[in-house]
Amino acid sequence: DNLVLDSMKINDIDLEDGIYQDKLSCGSTLTFTADLWNIGDSDQEDITIRVYNTKLGIDEEFNIGKIRSFDKEPISFEFTLPKELDEDGWNDLKFEILEDGDVFQNYIDGDDVDAVFDALLNLENCLLPEATISASLDTGGKAGKPMLIRTTITNTGKEATTYLVNAY
């Protein structure tokens, strides 16, 4: 018995060897699609797919139910990526095929192998500028009269950052 994920795509772009070649922005929506194939000679029941990545805060299960022998079931999941992370870069989404709550065992070359698949993502725009702002009224504040507001912007991050301040 074997259950496999095939034709994996993220946002309608094919994964090449499990790798999403484009970049995804933090806070964006990710749509994952694939075909779940039963390439074994037995129907499988109570099938669920677990998708997880601790760093991204994703841990969800999707009930597939029954999948017949030598048949495929199209699957689609949608996630909103976190708006900010500690760093940009590569993250791995894990897909486990479960049967009755346990990882399904594929029989390959005489061995039982966990039915676990990966999709590697490259995230960008995850680091938000860190700053504290304080403001105080120095002089003025009456309608139609000039006023002076003193502000202090402090970069509390670890890297140099440019801030643009507009006064209206």
Side-chain angles (χ1 to χ4, degrees), residues 130-134 152-157 163:
E130 298 178 40
T132 58
I133 300 173
S134 61
T152 303
I153 301 172
T154 305
N155 179 357
T156 59
Y163 299 99

Side-chain angles (χ1 to χ4, degrees), residues 124-144:
E124 65 180 358
N125 301 321
C126 298
L127 300 170
L128 297 178
E130 298 178 40
T132 58
I133 300 173
S134 61
S136 61
L137 180 63
D138 254 13
T139 59
K142 297 188 182 210

Side-chain angles (χ1 to χ4, degrees), residues 5-18:
L5 289 177
D6 187 44
S7 304
M8 295 191 298
K9 295 180 180 184
I10 292 178
N11 298 344
D12 290 325
I13 297 174
D14 289 324
L15 299 185
E16 296 177 25
D17 297 322

Side-chain angles (χ1 to χ4, degrees), residues 44-60:
Q44 300 298 326
E45 296 185 16
D46 299 320
I47 299 299
T48 303
I49 296 182
R50 177 181 176 225
V51 183
Y52 65 95
N53 176 300
T54 305
K55 184 177 175 183
L56 300 179
I58 296 171
D59 192 351
E60 297 189 36

Side-chain angles (χ1 to χ4, degrees), residues 46-105:
D46 299 320
I47 299 299
T48 303
I49 296 182
R50 177 181 176 225
V51 183
Y52 65 95
N53 176 300
T54 305
K55 184 177 175 183
L56 300 179
I58 296 171
D59 192 351
E60 297 189 36
E61 291 186 5
F62 301 92
N63 184 38
I64 303 302
K66 183 177 183 175
I67 184 165
R68 295 188 183 279
S69 175
F70 301 109
D71 202 2
K72 70 176 177 178
E73 182 73 29
I75 58 172
S76 178
F77 312 123
E78 188 171 284
F79 306 100
T80 300
L81 297 168
K83 289 188 179 179
E84 59 183 272
L85 295 171
D86 292 337
E87 60 186 347
D88 291 346
W90 293 99
N91 287 274
D92 191 19
L93 271 184
K94 294 269 188 203
F95 297 85
E96 291 179 336
I97 300 174
L98 307 175
E99 179 182 39
D100 296 323
D102 294 320
V103 176
F104 189 86
Q105 297 291 303

